[in-house]
Amino acid sequence: MIGGKMECDVNRGTAERAKRELDMTIGRNPVTGKVTSKAELAGGNKATNNLEAAQMNFGKAEQALKDAEEAYEGDRSTKNSRRVDKARKSFEKAQRDLEAAEEIKEKADRKKDK
């Protein structure tokens, strides 16, 4: 025995313990046993929550790009040039993510309306 104690290699009912831990999760309904998703707990659906997150990321990236461009106008150093490039890439990625999230939200809404 490496651990030095006999109970180290005893199976302690891992399935039962796992079930107990799963029952204590936030999104589990104690009556039905159904697990509720994070999106439903937040009061929306996944597409709506992803769209809101994409909008927030887009706003942050847009502000970071403006700040970086202002810093570059004040001091045209290599450091600020790289900062602008990084902010521009981040902004473009946030823009693509926002467009994709809007598209997914539209599809989810159309599917829900049917």
Side-chain angles (χ1 to χ4, degrees), residues 3 12 22-23 26-27 32 60 63 80 89-90 107 111:
R12 297 183 188 172
L22 188 62
D23 287 341
I26 294 170
T32 61
K60 288 177 187 175
Q63 187 60 42
N80 286 336
K89 286 179 185 177
S90 175
K107 287 180 183 178
K111 187 176 180 181

Side-chain angles (χ1 to χ4, degrees), residues 3 6 9 11 13 22 25 38 48 71-72 80 89 94 101 105 109:
M6 189 62 182
D9 66 337
N11 186 354
L22 188 62
T25 57
K38 268 200 236 179
T48 305
Y72 184 68
N80 286 336
K89 286 179 185 177
K105 173 79 169 113
D109 288 345

Side-chain angles (χ1 to χ4, degrees), residues 54 94-104:
Q95 201 170 19
R96 286 191 306 267
D97 290 345
L98 179 61
E99 290 170 1
E102 287 172 346
E103 210 174 287
I104 291 169

Side-chain angles (χ1 to χ4, degrees), residues 9-52:
D9 66 337
V10 175
N11 186 354
R12 297 183 188 172
T14 54
E16 184 179 319
R17 185 171 13 125
K19 184 182 181 313
R20 212 173 333 133
E21 289 172 359
L22 188 62
D23 287 341
M24 291 188 295
T25 57
I26 294 170
R28 183 170 287 278
N29 183 334
V31 177
T32 61
K34 180 180 180 262
V35 176
T36 309
S37 69
K38 268 200 236 179
E40 290 174 4
L41 288 173
N45 59 18
K46 189 173 182 180
T48 305
N49 290 350
N50 288 345
L51 178 61
E52 289 173 0

